[in-house]
Amino acid sequence: MDTRFPEGGRPRAEIDAALDAMAAGDVDWRGGRVPLYVFGATAEVGEVGRDAFMRFFTENALGAKRAFTSLRRMEEEVVAMALDLFHGPEGAVGGMTSGGTESILLAVKACRDGARARRGDPAHRGNLVLPVSAHPAFDKAAALMDLPVRRIPVRADLRADVAAMAGAIDADTILLVGSVPCFPYGVVDPLPELSELALSRDLWLHVDACVGGYFAPFARELGRPIPEFDFALPGVASISADLHKFGFCPKPASTVFFRDAARAAGRGFDLDVWPNGRFATATFVGTRPGGGVAGAWAVLNFLGREGYRALAARLLAMRDDYVAGIRAIPGMRVFGEPDLSILAFGAEALDMGAVAAGMEARGWVPGLVREPPGLHIMMSLLHEPVRERYLGDLREAAAEAAPAQGAAVQAVY
């Protein structure tokens, strides 16, 4: 690695060759070898998103109001389309962000600031009550805002335990969380029950649909047993949903929504003591790539409901085939009943760390889950053509693995 700032420029051909050489060491994500990070639909969908992104490669969404009104219109239309999808009531608002973590951070901040205003206490440290399976972004938000977090064990079916969460609520609780689906197990939490709990305790319920927000509605339309999870439930105050996951849009692109403007009031940043004048943003970041906005607008319009239903049908059929193949391996079981295309699975009698090592030796990046010890995959259509090879390698790796010794598998994402 050269750590010196280059004295002179390098030829374009040399730069391209160097980039190709560095990329040669990456795992073959296009060949379905990576269990997360990238999400593929069809080649045409990818081209639509890429071309729109590159068309607005230089534009900055920070200037959408004053300079790049095209981006403002596209973002407003993306938000409007999504609110239609998520049954947004009259007065619901939302915006685009850089990703699920930022969407969650904004929702937690809006909840915290709203709770402080209602209590008349600008320093109130309200706590968050969430299932142990909820995403670490909530803890990241809480760490930044100095808020206590209470993670509650899930039920035997790996879904949020609403009764246990109710028991953890106290006078300082401000936020409840449910996932669509949770990342560790791929199951959707019982949002109708969580909505009732939130209403009965006058609490903010955030639905983390970062993974499944642009997948679950179409799975429901196809008749899959996905419970209601969006603003159709009266207790839902906010929703996060990533466009760059199963919306199949270019990164970075996520969305966050609020039931009404009052709840959204605390999400952004507003400063009016600067020599340049007032500085206000609805996001944590300032500069935002215009390509992310344009790519999302293009893909949503290209696919429409019909296109997303077709992709959901393929994903769910693929998921069912993977589940059947995993269950056919002696001793192997899928954890819970996955609702979308995240699978976690393992075998109590096997050292799952050794199984993971066997998969890695065969060229796969093994996703891992610690409790219970197992493997983890979040599948898009990149994983459709490699199913038989994956299952064959998994069968071989399981056959080679030693008996379980009680050590937990570890993963760092």
Side-chain angles (χ1 to χ4, degrees), residues 169 176 191-205 232-237 259 263:
I169 294 169
L176 304 177
L191 269 304
E193 297 172 42
L194 284 170
S195 172
E196 292 177 5
L197 176 61
L199 289 172
S200 69
R201 303 292 186 92
D202 193 23
L203 293 173
W204 184 300
L205 172 61
L233 298 173
V236 173
R259 180 170 288 275
R263 287 182 173 88

Side-chain angles (χ1 to χ4, degrees), residues 14 38 93 121 129 162 302 334:
E14 184 179 326
V38 292
V93 298
D121 181 358
V129 174
V162 179
F302 177 72
V334 175

Side-chain angles (χ1 to χ4, degrees), residues 55-75:
R55 188 181 181 96
F56 288 83
F57 177 81
T58 303
E59 283 83 347
N60 183 350
L62 177 63
K65 290 183 179 180
R66 302 183 63 200
F68 309 115
T69 56
S70 57
L71 294 179
R72 179 177 184 176
R73 175 177 173 178
M74 284 187 277
E75 181 167 0

